[in-house]
Amino acid sequence: MSAPRTRPTEAELAEFRDRVRAHIAEHAPPFEAREGHRAPETGEQEVLLRTWFASLFDAGFVGADWPVEYGGRADHHPLHDRIVSEEILRARAPRPVDQVNLAAHVLLHFGTDEQKSALLPPIRSSEHVWCQLLSEPDAGSDIAAVRCKGTPRPDGSWVIDGQKTWITDGHWADMGLALIRTDPTSSRHHGLSAFIVPLNAPGVEIRPIRTINEAIEVNEVFFDDVTIPPDSLIGEPGQGWSIIMAGLDFERFGIGGNVILLELLIDDLVTVARHGRIDDMPALQHADIRHQVAELAVEVEVAKAFIDDHVERLVAGAEQTGDGSIAKLSFAETYHRVSAYGAQLSTMVCTLATDPDVALAKQRLKECWLWSRAYTVSGGSSEMMRNILAKRRLLLPTH
């Protein structure tokens, strides 16, 4: 990634934020982002989403941290990324696909010049949406246990066989970043390699999984003698574990950086508590409800405080081991607690049928709750995040 320039002044950041807001107002799709319903549901929505994502790249708001020769901005600063994320979330506009950011990060750090030249432009134009082909039926958060195998052929190509599951966006993605076992005698994180897999390759079968909120976000992906060319390998054979881990550390902070979603959850929770009634009085006037809402609001502020502190350390080049895991864990667990209580409160209160703001807030809280467990699993489960922190941050014994 490009080196950041001198920290922008507050006036410069305010001007940048104004430009981001203006771009969102002009180019965002005419529908609100919904948690657990992020993938397009129609062909028209897919076109709108791809056009929207491409506009963010074209405007220099996404992918600005890439090297200039691949489309990045010379004046990029990490605080710009924070502003873009905040404004997209506050506008309830669709967020860029996380897996695309992971793929770009891996390609930029580990890809060959040929791979970068061929694969980065289609990401910026949104011709290519990527998914990550990591989890398997017996290797969920423990991706070191993958069994999907890659067999080399004399001409340098590879044959992929096996199954991946819980693959976010797999049903509309064009490309996949896959972790494959290429040494059949290896175990755990040894003998794994990272590959680029076109999802339209012969032998690839995708089966959507309908989630509890009646949406298709995740999928099963099967590989049956899928042949991919030699240049599909990223890095060297056996380097897959370090490549994917570097990418996931980047992704985990990205998930934690969605802390603005917590603010929006609190806003919806307060709307329901303030306008919903229990025993003929506003729910927020009940002491137990008021205390619970206050406690959750404090949890949100704690998560935000860590993200703010981490961004400042990132800007100063002083980030610490495990920061990405803390950000991911803090966001995911707080999101679940707030949305779960919000969904519960929504079933307890009486509201006027003519109040659309309250009805919309209740719908959002329900959808967020139904999706909340996905956040505690995707990108590494909360249990795995705690293990990582115990080993890498606290240096606790592993036995």
Side-chain angles (χ1 to χ4, degrees):
M1 303 294 179
S2 57
R5 68 181 181 92
T6 304
R7 184 188 181 104
T9 66
E10 291 305 312
E12 289 172 330
L13 291 175
E15 187 274 334
F16 181 81
R17 189 180 295 274
D18 287 341
R19 286 196 285 119
V20 173
R21 287 176 176 171
H23 184 87
I24 293 172
E26 182 177 354
H27 295 281
F31 51 84
E32 183 176 292
R34 297 169 59 194
E35 289 293 271
H37 294 261
R38 292 177 59 180
E41 297 178 352
T42 65
E44 180 184 5
Q45 278 193 359
E46 180 174 341
V47 170
L48 289 170
L49 284 176
R50 288 180 186 263
T51 301
W52 160 236
F53 298 151
S55 80
L56 292 170
F57 279 106
D58 288 343
F61 297 141
V62 174
D65 59 336
W66 294 16
V68 173
E69 61 267 30
Y70 293 113
R73 288 202 331 263
D75 67 345
H76 169 263
H77 191 278
L79 292 177
H80 292 152
D81 298 334
R82 183 76 186 275
I83 289 171
V84 172
S85 177
E86 287 177 349
E87 293 305 321
I88 289 175
L89 290 170
R90 286 189 174 125
R92 299 189 186 275
R95 308 193 295 281
V97 178
D98 298 328
Q99 290 74 19
V100 172
N101 294 331
L102 171 65
H105 178 83
V106 166
L107 289 170
L108 285 167
H109 282 80
F110 301 99
T112 64
D113 290 341
E114 292 76 15
Q115 288 170 334
K116 295 173 187 177
S117 296
L119 295 170
L120 292 176
I123 287 178
R124 298 191 73 90
S125 67
S126 287
E127 176 187 347
H128 285 173
V129 168
W130 286 66
C131 64
Q132 56 194 43
L133 300 162
L134 306 181
S135 297
E136 297 183 7
D138 296 319
S141 290
D142 184 17
I143 60 173
V146 298
R147 296 188 298 181
C148 192
K149 66 179 182 178
T151 306
R153 300 176 65 178
D155 63 356
S157 63
W158 295 82
V159 177
I160 308 298
D161 289 282
Q163 177 186 356
K164 299 290 183 177
T165 194
W166 306 118
I167 305 305
T168 304
D169 294 315
H171 61 298
W172 72 293
D174 308 282
M175 308 292 290
L177 176 64
L179 186 64
I180 306 294
R181 189 165 299 282
T182 51
D183 180 355
T185 66
S186 65
S187 63
R188 301 300 298 161
H189 57 274
H190 301 288
L192 299 171
S193 302
F195 289 92
I196 302 159
V197 181
L199 296 186
N200 63 356
V204 176
E205 180 184 357
I206 300 171
R207 300 179 188 173
I209 300 172
R210 190 167 293 277
T211 60
I212 193 173
N213 57 359
E214 289 300 314
I216 295 175
E217 293 283 311
V218 294
N219 307 263
E220 292 180 294
V221 179
F222 296 86
F223 305 114
D224 183 9
D225 287 336
V226 177
T227 301
I228 53 178
D231 60 2
S232 297
L233 176 68
I234 302 176
E236 299 296 327
Q239 195 184 1
W241 178 258
S242 59
I243 290 174
I244 295 299
M245 286 302 100
L248 286 180
D249 281 342
F250 170 81
E251 182 200 40
R252 283 162 186 159
F253 178 68
I255 293 175
N258 288 335
V259 69
I260 298 300
L261 287 172
L262 301 179
E263 291 185 4
L264 298 178
L265 273 178
I266 288 293
D267 289 344
D268 284 335
L269 178 58
V270 170
T271 296
V272 172
R274 179 172 289 142
H275 298 283
R277 303 182 72 83
I278 298 177
D279 296 334
D280 204 30
M281 59 186 294
L284 202 56
Q285 291 186 14
H286 291 265
D288 57 335
I289 293 176
R290 186 167 60 253
H291 292 163
Q292 184 63 46
V293 171
E295 287 181 4
L296 291 171
V298 169
E299 288 191 39
V300 168
E301 291 303 315
V302 170
K304 287 172 53 185
F306 176 80
I307 298 297
D308 290 340
D309 183 57
H310 175 71
V311 169
E312 291 302 320
R313 291 200 302 273
L314 180 66
V315 170
E319 64 260 49
Q320 300 178 24
T321 300
D323 275 359
S325 294
I326 296 175
K328 198 273 182 183
L329 182 63
S330 178
F331 165 76
E333 293 297 328
T334 304
Y335 182 101
H336 173 67
R337 285 191 289 270
V338 176
S339 61
Y341 182 73
Q344 177 186 16
L345 183 63
S346 295
T347 66
M348 296 166 54
V349 301
C350 297
T351 56
L352 296 176
T354 56
D355 194 334
D357 290 338
V358 177
L360 187 55
K362 291 170 72 172
Q363 176 187 331
R364 288 176 183 145
L365 289 167
K366 177 185 175 182
E367 290 180 347
C368 290
W369 170 60
L370 291 174
W371 187 242
S372 63
R373 279 306 182 196
Y375 278 126
T376 66
V377 174
S378 63
S381 69
S382 292
E383 290 76 13
M384 291 299 294
M385 294 302 100
R386 294 184 179 99
N387 285 341
I388 289 171
L389 291 170
K391 295 175 183 178
R392 301 183 188 175
R393 184 74 167 245
L394 302 178
L395 304 179
L396 296 178
T398 57
H399 54 80

